[in-house]
């Protein structure tokens, strides 16, 4: 059983030998399982003094004993490193052999305050156990078994470490050497429900304190809540109305107005006041738009300044590059030394790279300016085509200029290569390596320029193709416009003829819906326009088309005319909710059948 496993097995050999015989005492100590060692760990001398009491040696702990783990207990800091004899009133504790390994223990349970004590003497009582272990701290309870072990519960956790310090000690009751009065203590951690419950309560308390500290920290770093909005009154309404007119206090006032409206402060009595405040908020939009236009104007001015400065920088770069190219010609190039020529070529290359980067940046700014068109500035398709055509023409011209400049640069590189070839035959062997490197660099530059030239030529071809497409589209639009004009003229003629034929009928019929030749022309043009739009068109769309022919045409006049001709035109509603729209459709064919 577990209780039996925790008890130390002692040999049941009678110990009736006299203590005056040292050899017999040593034999008895060996039979008890105690090594005959002196106080200093040395073997017993022949002249053993019985007044010294029992020996300090103990048998080694067997690690394979049941109930023992392999974790040695920690030594409390206030306990001495070398164990000594402990004298009590009713018993004496002898320390274990210092050369043996420390006794092993099980894993410590959380919040452990209870220890298991095994190896007690058979004649040991609770009073003796209390006498031994009350030195470690306040003992709350002792549960002693009929067998030689007990459980002791202390008041604090650190007292358990002091009790573990006594593990391995040999206990002797009084001066008796009887087997029932001796034993070897084995102290180990014990798992108790009370200890676990108290530990869990302590952990919950610590968690609550931690949550409280976190909550206080969060509240400390949390931004303060906004000030409460005052309740509506006539005085507060006048104050808010004045704040709405002030740009610096507008945001605070508009928030107050929004809160009042959401609270439901608007009623018949306060409706006029709220309407005036909403009107003030609406007038603030005009100020915001003016502010935006001012900022946009400043941005445009800054862009213009930047563009002018960049163009000036590019002009200076072109001048510097021209100086480098003129210095690279044979007239001046022969007078420079090899190091000077190298520096001039490197400077020229760097200046050309920087110039190309700035040129690309300027071209990008110009492209962005050409692409920026607002919805209000959108013109007729023919005018848009003309602007696109002019933009393409300007881009083609810029590409031509760039192509010419690249060709000139290529010719200059070729001249330099020829000069280098001529100088290569005249130069000495020491200069051959440097000339070869320059030749390689120039060849690489030539290859790059040729590739760039090919790309520019491809772009030039693409631009020419786009220009041709634009021209074709322009011709198509012009032919369509001519066809429309011819159709309008023919329709006007037909309407005139029909009006001339129906003149006597109109004289007889005084209640005719069409009252003049101009209205007949309008009816014909509107019928042609709506015939082209089978899904109908709004009155604004129809009037915008008629005002291209005659700017004096009024929307109300056209709408009155179309409402009089119910068999020719029909008004329908299309859309749902906010997108509801009135459209006019041509129903002349159906009206002809009905009449």
């Amino acid at each position: 059983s577990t209780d039996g496993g925790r008890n130390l097995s002692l040999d049941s050999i009678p110990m009736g030998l006299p203590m005056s015989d040292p050899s017999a005492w040593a034999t008895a100590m060996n039979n008890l399982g105690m090594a005959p060692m002196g106080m200093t760990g040395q073997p017993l001398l022949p002249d053993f003094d019985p007044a010294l009491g029992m020996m300090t040696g103990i048998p080694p702990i067997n690690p394979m004993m049941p109930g023992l783990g392999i974790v040695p207990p920690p030594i409390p800091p206030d306990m001495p490193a070398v164990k000594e004899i402990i004298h009590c009133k009713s018993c004496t504790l002898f320390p274990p052999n210092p050369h043996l390994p420390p006794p092993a223990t099980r894993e410590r349970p959380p919040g452990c305050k209870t220890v298991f004590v095994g190896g007690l003497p058979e004649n040991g009582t609770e009073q003796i156990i209390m006498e031994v272990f009350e030195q470690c701290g306040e003992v709350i309870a002792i549960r002693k078994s009929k067998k030689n072990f007990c459980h002791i519960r202390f008041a604090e956790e650190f007292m358990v470490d002091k009790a573990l310090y006594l593990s391995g000690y040999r206990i002797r009751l009084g001066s008796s050497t009887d087997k029932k009065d001796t034993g070897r203590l084995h102290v180990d951690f014990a798992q108790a429900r009370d200890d676990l419950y108290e530990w869990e309560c302590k952990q919950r308390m610590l968690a609550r304190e931690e949550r409280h500290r976190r909550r206080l920290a969060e509240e400390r770093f949390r931004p303060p809540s906004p000030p409460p909005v005052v309740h509506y009154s006539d005085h507060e309404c006048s104050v808010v109305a004045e704040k709405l007119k002030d740009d610096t206090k507008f945001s605070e006032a508009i928030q107050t107005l929004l809160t009042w409206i959401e609270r439901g402060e608007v009623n018949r009595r306060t409706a006029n006041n709220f309407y005036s405040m909403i009107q003030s908020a609406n007038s603030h939009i005009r100020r915001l738009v003016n502010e935006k236009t001012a900022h946009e104007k400043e941005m445009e001015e800054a862009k213009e300044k930047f563009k002018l400065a960049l163009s000036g920088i590019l002009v200076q770069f072109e001048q510097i590059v021209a100086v480098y190219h003129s210095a690279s010609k044979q007239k001046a190039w022969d007078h420079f030394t090899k190091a000077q020529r190298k520096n001039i070529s490197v400077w020229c290359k760097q200046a050309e790279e920087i110039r190309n980067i700035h040129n690309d940046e300027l071209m990008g700014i110009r492209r962005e300016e050409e692409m920026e068109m607002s919805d209000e500035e959108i013109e007729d398709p023919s005018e848009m085509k003309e602007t696109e055509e002019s933009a393409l023409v300007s881009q083609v011209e810029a590409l031509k200029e760039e192509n010419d400049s690249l060709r000139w640069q290529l010719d200059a590189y070729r001249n330099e290569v020829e000069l280098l070839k001529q100088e290569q035959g005249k130069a000495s062997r020491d200069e051959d390596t440097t000339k070869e490197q320059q030749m390689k660099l120039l060849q690489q530059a030539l290859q790059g320029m040729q590739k760039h030239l090919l790309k520019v030529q491809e772009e030039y071809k693409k631009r020419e193709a786009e220009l041709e497409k634009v021209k074709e589209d322009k011709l198509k639009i012009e032919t369509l416009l001519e066809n429309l004009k011819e159709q309008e003229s023919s329709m006007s003629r037909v309407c005139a003829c029909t009006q001339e034929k129906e003149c006597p009928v109109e004289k007889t019929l005084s209640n005719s819906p069409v009252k003049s030749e101009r209205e007949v022309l309008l009816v014909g043009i509107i019928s042609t326009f709506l015939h082209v739009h089978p899904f109908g068109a709004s009155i604004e769309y129809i009037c915008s088309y008629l005002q291209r022919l005659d700017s004096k045409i009024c929307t109300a006049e056209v709408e009155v005319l179309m409402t009089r001709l119910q068999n020719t035109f029909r008004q329908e509603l299309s859309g749902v909710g906010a997108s509801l729209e009135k459209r006019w459709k041509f129903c002349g064919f159906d009206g002809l059948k009905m009449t």
Side-chain angles (χ1 to χ4, degrees), residues 506-565:
E506 288 178 356
K507 291 177 183 178
T508 56
L509 299 173
S510 60
N511 57 351
S512 175
V514 181
K515 297 179 180 179
S516 63
E517 184 180 357
R518 186 169 181 273
E519 291 184 353
V520 171
L521 288 171
L522 287 174
V523 169
I525 293 167
I526 293 167
S527 302
T528 308
F529 180 80
L530 291 176
H531 187 62
V532 178
H533 297 78
F535 296 101
S538 62
I539 189 69
E540 290 82 6
Y541 189 23
I542 296 167
C543 290
S544 65
Y545 176 75
L546 293 175
Q547 284 172 359
R548 291 185 183 179
L549 304 175
D550 187 6
S551 60
K552 298 179 181 179
I553 294 174
C554 180
T555 306
E557 179 185 356
V558 176
E559 191 170 9
V560 170
L561 178 62
M562 293 175 73
T563 50
R564 288 206 304 264
L565 299 171

Side-chain angles (χ1 to χ4, degrees), residues 32-35 57-61 100 170 184:
L32 286 171
M34 299 175 65
I58 61 170
I61 297 174
L100 296 177
R170 177 70 62 179
R184 187 172 63 85

Side-chain angles (χ1 to χ4, degrees), residues 358-391:
H358 286 288
N359 196 6
D360 293 339
E361 188 175 357
L362 185 60
M363 291 294 291
I365 293 170
R366 288 176 179 172
R367 288 195 201 98
E368 288 178 359
E369 288 179 354
E370 290 171 359
M371 292 172 66
E372 285 178 356
M373 289 184 64
S374 61
D375 296 337
E376 297 176 357
E377 296 174 354
I378 294 174
E379 300 175 354
D380 295 336
S382 59
E383 295 179 358
M384 289 174 61
K385 294 293 181 180
E386 289 177 1
T387 54
E388 289 178 2
E389 184 179 356
S390 62

Side-chain angles (χ1 to χ4, degrees), residues 241-266:
E242 291 297 327
K243 286 183 179 180
L244 285 171
K245 297 175 184 178
D246 189 359
D247 293 340
T248 58
K249 301 178 181 178
F250 178 80
S251 58
E252 179 185 355
I254 199 70
Q255 185 63 34
T256 305
L257 177 60
L258 176 62
T259 307
W260 285 349
I261 294 173
E262 289 178 350
R263 284 179 182 174
E265 301 287 350
V266 183

Side-chain angles (χ1 to χ4, degrees), residues 47 62 106 132 141 146-147 163 171 211 228 264 291 293 302 304 337 346 357 368 464 479 532 554:
D47 52 348
N62 185 8
R106 60 182 292 180
V132 172
K146 293 181 180 179
K147 297 182 180 180
I171 184 171
R211 286 197 299 270
E291 187 177 353
T293 53
E304 289 294 330
T337 61
V346 170
I357 291 169
E368 288 178 359
E464 285 184 346
T479 53
V532 178
C554 180

